[in-house]
Amino acid sequence: MKIGIVAKLGDAKALSLAKDIIGYGTSLGIEMFIDERLSNTINWHNTFVVGKDPVDYLIIIGGDGTLLSLSLIHI
């Protein structure tokens, strides 16, 4: 199973939660991926591009603006 995570850029709580979810998912043996825009903020080796790279589930951490920005930019 592949899970992609997108978090609100510049939001410390969202980024911290993303790191926690990555750690938890990894401990369960799940392949965890972060949005490539987070790669400079979160030190994680698996990245993906929303709408381009396939994942089974997508976790979005942020508000309506975070979700809308994905639909406008990537899809």
Side-chain angles (χ1 to χ4, degrees):
M1 176 185 327
K2 295 180 180 180
I3 295 180
I5 298 177
V6 176
K8 182 177 180 181
L9 295 171
D11 185 323
K13 286 184 179 182
L15 297 173
S16 176
L17 181 56
K19 290 176 187 177
D20 291 344
I21 292 171
I22 290 167
Y24 181 69
T26 302
S27 74
L28 296 175
I30 299 170
E31 278 188 275
M32 303 299 293
F33 294 82
I34 60 169
D35 179 10
E36 71 173 358
R37 297 178 297 165
L38 298 174
S39 63
N40 291 332
T41 307
I42 296 176
N43 185 20
W44 188 246
H45 55 281
N46 290 336
T47 63
F48 78 110
V49 176
V50 176
K52 181 180 176 188
D53 300 318
V55 292
D56 298 310
Y57 296 97
L58 184 62
I59 298 173
I60 301 171
I61 305 167
D64 294 345
T66 305
L67 177 61
L68 290 172
S69 71
L70 295 177
S71 65
L72 295 173
I73 296 172
H74 297 292
I75 298 175

